[in-house]
Amino acid sequence: MGPAQGRNGRPETGDHMIVALEDIGAAVRSAREELKQDQPVATVTWRRAGTLVNVAWVVFDLLILSVIVRAALYKGPTPKG
């Protein structure tokens, strides 16, 4: 199932963000499962920190890419006449 079509037949940007948030939720759930396992505290802390950095990077990339996509699809003002 693809993203919903917005005006002019383009996908809604918000739908891409919803999919990204679902992926972030899956990463957080995975990190929580790792915490439940018997591992040294330092290992768990570094893994959790690495997961959070990766999630933050994904959110940053999605925001930047959404701006670039909007700019590429921009058609400019329509001439009056």
Side-chain angles (χ1 to χ4, degrees):
M1 183 174 190
Q5 298 297 314
R7 292 181 295 189
N8 301 327
R10 297 182 188 149
E12 291 288 340
T13 304
D15 292 338
H16 296 293
M17 295 303 288
I18 291 170
V19 171
L21 290 174
E22 289 172 351
D23 291 342
I24 291 169
V28 170
R29 283 190 295 278
S30 174
R32 284 184 183 166
E33 289 299 319
E34 284 184 19
L35 288 174
K36 291 179 184 177
Q37 297 174 1
D38 293 332
Q39 296 180 9
V41 174
T43 303
V44 172
T45 303
W46 279 110
R47 283 187 182 176
R48 189 166 79 187
T51 299
L52 294 176
V53 168
N54 286 338
V55 168
W57 187 252
V58 166
V59 170
F60 175 76
D61 280 347
L62 288 172
L63 291 173
I64 296 300
L65 287 174
S66 70
V67 171
I68 292 172
V69 168
R70 278 191 232 155
L73 296 175
Y74 182 69
K75 297 198 188 242
T78 55
K80 296 180 182 179

